[in-house]
Amino acid sequence: MPAGEFDLIDQLVRTQFIQRDEVALGIGDDAALLDVPSGYELVISTDTLNSGVHFPEDTSADAIGHKSLAVSLSDLAAMGAEPVAVSLSLSLPEADEVWLKDFARGFFLLADQYKVQLIGGDTTRGPLSIGTTIYGKVPKGQAIRRNGAGPGDVICVTGTLGDAGAALLALQGELKLTGPQEKILLKKLEYPQPRIFEGQAIRKLATACIDISDGLVADLGHILKQSNTGATIYVDQLPVSETLRQCLDRASGWHLAMQAGDDYELCFTVPEDKQAELEDIRIEMDLPITYIGITEPRKGLHLMMPDGSLETLDIEGYEHFRSS
Ligand SMILES: [Mg+2]
């Protein structure tokens, strides 16, 4: 890439006003330096978004900028961590000033919202691909992992499920939407909101947590597998948005809520004796949390269907369910 292009990226990066105390040295040297406050652990996660694979090729640069940071923030949310810093690796097919400015707008708007400082970056020429490595902090020993769920825990999710999946179906021509419906659902797909505050709010109560990137069944499956427990989900309790109800029949809405990815909501478990405390937090902080099921000693994921029938998926079934 020509030298001028690097200057431009440099300029974009320098416009960020967030200066974190934890960043001892930011952009400009061979590497950045992070200061982890005593009593905290550093939480690190890396994601890559490839054009045509993780987002449709005609997605706006602004949305790509937002989403590339949002998916990383979502992983920190799932650990109950506070975001601190991010580094960015951009592969671009051509030098395009307008595209870069739009990308930076989407990226930094979200970065500023969660006070995340960009501490490093790399730009190369190649197929459009965005890599982010995010750094967060969490009080020592308090990160929410996937392996802590015990039998009898209540299973919860944030927000609504299936909206991003419905938008994808519409883009593929498999679902007809009205203009307003498309606008609402596309926003959920292109501008997912990471559940940072929710993740920190539930940290002391949750026994396990994951962010839903691959669909509820597949991602809850990771918790069940790593916690060595089973679960029953009450399908008619799944939170489905008003928009999804309008454009799909109930059965299709529930199916999408169970198997569609890209919503970046949190799925977590809380011991039954902590449920009252969670309910207090939910009301006090006005958190969008829904109770959808319970973990249990018998293995497998049991789906209690609205007609009273029971569908059971074994561990292999979790993955298969996504593609079915
Ligand atoms: Mg994740």
Side-chain angles (χ1 to χ4, degrees):
M1 211 157 274
E5 201 54 43
F6 285 108
D7 292 347
L8 178 69
I9 293 165
D10 228 35
Q11 276 173 28
L12 292 174
V13 161
R14 282 171 209 286
T15 57
Q16 197 191 17
F17 68 86
I18 299 289
Q19 299 284 326
R20 299 278 312 203
D21 290 344
E22 298 90 342
V23 179
L25 183 64
I27 288 172
D29 212 307
D30 291 303
L33 295 173
L34 280 184
D35 206 2
V36 184
S38 85
Y40 282 84
E41 285 172 311
L42 191 62
V43 187
I44 306 166
S45 175
T46 297
D47 280 284
T48 303
L49 298 185
N50 291 330
S51 179
V53 180
H54 301 101
F55 55 85
E57 275 164 17
D58 57 358
T59 305
S60 74
D62 185 274
I64 295 170
H66 174 99
K67 193 163 185 173
S68 61
L69 181 57
V71 300
S72 273
L73 283 169
S74 181
D75 283 324
L76 290 190
M79 302 297 284
E82 178 188 338
V84 171
V86 64
S87 57
L88 174 67
S89 167
L90 261 181
S91 164
L92 296 170
E94 57 186 345
D96 183 335
E97 192 175 329
V98 175
W99 191 96
L100 265 175
K101 278 194 169 149
D102 288 350
F103 174 88
R105 190 177 56 234
F107 187 90
F108 286 120
L109 199 64
L110 189 64
D112 291 351
Q113 187 185 341
Y114 289 103
K115 300 187 169 52
V116 189
Q117 185 174 343
L118 185 71
I119 55 166
D122 184 29
T123 313
T124 51
R125 192 186 288 275
L128 181 57
S129 172
I130 303 96
T132 48
T133 297
I134 196 149
Y135 308 86
K137 64 177 186 181
V138 69
K140 210 170 171 58
Q142 284 189 29
I144 322 167
R145 297 173 54 180
R146 296 177 179 179
N147 64 356
D153 286 2
V154 180
I155 302 169
C156 310
V157 291
T158 60
T160 57
L161 303 177
D163 296 312
L168 258 183
L169 284 181
L171 288 177
Q172 291 159 356
E174 289 173 38
L175 180 63
K176 274 258 172 294
L177 299 175
T178 65
Q181 288 169 348
E182 187 174 324
K183 205 173 158 198
I184 291 169
L185 295 178
L186 254 187
K187 199 171 171 210
K188 297 289 280 283
L189 175 69
E190 296 188 330
Y191 293 90
Q193 296 301 318
R195 295 294 187 180
I196 292 293
F197 297 120
E198 289 80 357
Q200 291 178 64
I202 62 163
R203 191 174 63 214
K204 288 212 168 95
L205 303 175
T207 48
C209 186
I210 192 167
D211 65 322
I212 305 176
S213 52
D214 293 335
L216 174 66
V217 167
D219 287 319
L220 174 59
H222 292 304
I223 288 183
L224 300 182
K225 201 171 168 180
Q226 294 194 25
S227 297
N228 198 26
T229 184
T232 294
I233 296 294
Y234 303 99
V235 171
D236 61 359
Q237 312 255 356
L238 294 176
V240 174
S241 71
E242 193 50 47
T243 312
L244 205 64
R245 280 178 213 278
Q246 286 167 10
C247 61
L248 283 173
D249 62 69
R250 284 155 74 90
S252 308
W254 284 324
H255 194 82
L256 215 52
M258 283 189 282
Q259 62 92 30
D262 289 289
D263 283 314
Y264 295 97
E265 296 294 346
L266 299 181
C267 174
F268 61 97
T269 55
V270 169
E272 218 175 350
D273 62 358
K274 295 271 172 61
Q275 201 186 347
E277 214 175 316
L278 176 66
E279 188 59 13
D280 288 345
I281 292 174
R282 185 185 72 80
I283 292 166
E284 192 187 320
M285 296 178 73
D286 195 22
L287 303 180
I289 290 173
T290 308
Y291 308 99
I292 61 164
I294 190 153
T295 58
E296 54 198 16
R298 66 170 172 165
K299 294 289 148 54
L301 179 56
H302 313 279
L303 304 173
M304 178 64 80
M305 305 309 280
D307 65 4
S309 65
L310 200 65
E311 250 185 62
T312 296
L313 301 167
D314 59 14
I315 286 175
E316 282 70 41
Y318 306 157
E319 275 300 309
H320 171 75
F321 193 80
R322 175 163 158 70
S323 54
S324 66

